[in-house]
């Protein structure tokens, strides 16, 4: 079943006399439990696509369904609700608040309605999932990059999101921590989590089960392309 359906999505920016077609006709389903990597050259539209999937922006035209509901033209307040209640975000630069403790950082996405006790319990549960309970009183600056990213993943998990979006989540990590973070993502997907990540790293992309290849605001491997465009060496004799 599809968690998200994009139908002929376009995002155009008017720049004076020129129109920048950041996305120009994207049709795509994100299935529940799927694990996708978004790849493509710089400027191809990856971030724009992630912004739309992350309810940070809305399309110029086209239709977007989330869990069967039409979310193409939501107000800013409704988009904020989806971000807070349905999504988890992981960023290249971790984006933890330096003055808050690890526990406070992970509690942050939880809504005000819950009791402090409940919020602490949920945050600790999420930190246990990423193996970081021994650092709950630390500040982000006292942790290594890999540890910070695991805390950021706990923060993404704390709301029990339907979708996790990770934009270059391993871009600032050394090889060992890349492996650790990817093992964690793989385990979450095995447990049923739906995950989309953007990466430049082909080894990271290989963890995903499907590739979303973007070029000039289009999907490569769409109906207009042959299979050999997506898999350049498929079916060819090895030299
Ligand atoms: N807010 C914006 N205003 C105008 N042009 C934009 C804006 N955001 C992105 N673009 C343009 O849209 C294209 C796609 O950008 P982006 O989605 O950031 O690509 P990528 O993440 O693949 O590098 C680029 O040509 C970029 O310059
Ligand atoms: Mg980008």
């Amino acid at each position: 079943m599809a968690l998200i359906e994009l139908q002929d999505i376009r995002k155009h920016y008017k720049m004076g006399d020129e129109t920048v077609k950041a996305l120009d006709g994207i049709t795509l389903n994100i299935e529940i439990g799927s694990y996708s990597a978004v790849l493509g050259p710089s400027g191809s539209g990856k971030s724009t696509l992630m912004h739309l999937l992350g309810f940070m922006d809305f399309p110029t035209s086209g239709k977007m369904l989330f869990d069967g509901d039409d979310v193409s033209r939501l107000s800013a307040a409704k988009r904020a609700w989806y971000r807070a209640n349905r999504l988890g975000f992981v960023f290249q630069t971790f984006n933890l608040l330096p003055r808050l403790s690890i526990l406070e950082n992970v509690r942050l996405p939880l809504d005000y309605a819950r009791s402090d006790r409940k919020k602490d319990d949920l945050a600790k549960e999420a930190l246990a999932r990423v193996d970081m309970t021994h650092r709950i009183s630390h500040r982000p600056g006292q942790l290594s990059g890999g540890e910070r990213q695991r805390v950021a993943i706990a923060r993404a998990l704390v709301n029990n999101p339907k979708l996790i979006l990770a934009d270059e989540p391993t871009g600032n990590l050394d090889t060992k921590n890349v492996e650790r973070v990817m093992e964690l993502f793989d385990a979450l997907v095995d447990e049923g989590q739906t995950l989309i990540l953007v990466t430049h790293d082909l080894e990271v992309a290989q963890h995903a089960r499907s590739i979303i290849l973007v070029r000039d605001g289009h999907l490569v491997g769409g109906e207009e392309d042959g299979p050999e465009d997506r898999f350049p060496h498929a079916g060819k004799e090895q030299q």
Side-chain angles (χ1 to χ4, degrees):
M1 234 188 65
L3 177 63
I4 297 179
E5 293 170 56
L6 300 182
Q7 296 164 5
D8 201 22
I9 289 284
R10 285 162 215 273
K11 183 71 186 180
H12 294 178
Y13 296 103
K14 266 213 136 10
M15 306 290 288
D17 292 341
E18 209 197 332
T19 302
V20 178
K21 299 177 175 176
L23 294 177
D24 203 26
I26 301 277
T27 296
L28 172 70
N29 279 6
I30 303 295
E31 302 298 324
I32 292 173
S34 61
Y35 189 178
S36 314
V38 179
L39 294 174
S42 176
S44 57
K46 302 181 299 294
S47 292
T48 306
L49 178 62
M50 291 296 268
H51 287 153
L52 293 178
L53 292 170
F55 290 87
M56 310 220 235
D57 209 342
F58 51 85
T60 308
S61 68
K63 200 164 178 179
M64 172 166 160
L65 303 181
F66 190 98
D67 243 353
D69 295 322
D70 191 339
V71 294
S72 335
R73 315 228 77 74
L74 292 185
S75 65
K78 288 239 173 69
R79 280 190 278 116
W81 183 90
Y82 271 91
R83 290 198 301 274
N85 295 285
R86 292 291 177 266
L87 302 192
F89 296 92
V90 180
F91 304 92
Q92 178 171 359
T93 50
F94 323 129
N95 294 16
L96 300 174
L97 298 184
R99 287 169 190 278
L100 298 185
S101 72
I102 294 313
L103 188 68
E104 288 165 339
N105 265 284
V106 174
R107 273 173 46 144
L108 216 53
L110 293 170
D111 70 61
Y112 299 103
R114 297 180 209 249
S115 72
D116 281 349
R117 179 79 162 289
K118 180 72 184 161
K119 287 201 253 190
D120 279 351
D121 287 348
L122 289 170
K124 283 177 189 162
E125 224 175 90
L127 282 162
R129 185 65 196 78
V130 303
D131 211 6
M132 283 302 297
T133 30
H134 57 307
R135 292 286 184 264
I136 58 172
S137 305
H138 281 57
R139 310 272 144 185
Q142 298 169 315
L143 303 183
S144 73
E147 288 176 324
R148 276 185 245 180
Q149 196 57 306
R150 275 151 57 208
V151 170
I153 293 169
R155 181 186 55 190
L157 287 172
V158 76
N159 267 333
N160 193 23
K162 296 220 175 192
L163 172 66
I164 291 183
L165 293 173
D167 199 349
E168 292 279 359
T170 60
N172 281 358
L173 301 179
D174 58 44
T175 317
K176 200 159 186 289
N177 280 305
V178 171
E179 274 168 33
R180 182 122 198 222
V181 160
M182 293 316 295
E183 271 170 27
L184 186 51
F185 281 147
D186 294 351
L188 293 173
V189 172
D190 285 341
E191 291 162 22
Q193 180 66 57
T194 310
L195 177 65
I196 305 175
L197 56 85
V198 175
T199 186
H200 281 105
D201 182 335
L202 289 180
E203 273 182 44
V204 165
Q206 277 174 0
H207 284 256
R209 293 171 192 160
S210 66
I211 302 289
I212 298 170
L213 191 52
V214 189
R215 193 194 290 151
D216 294 332
H218 297 276
L219 292 187
V220 181
E223 276 151 43
E224 65 279 15
D225 294 313
E228 61 278 3
D229 281 331
R230 183 180 275 207
F231 301 109
H233 305 296
K236 295 206 180 120
E237 299 270 345
Q238 300 249 301
Q239 296 284 316

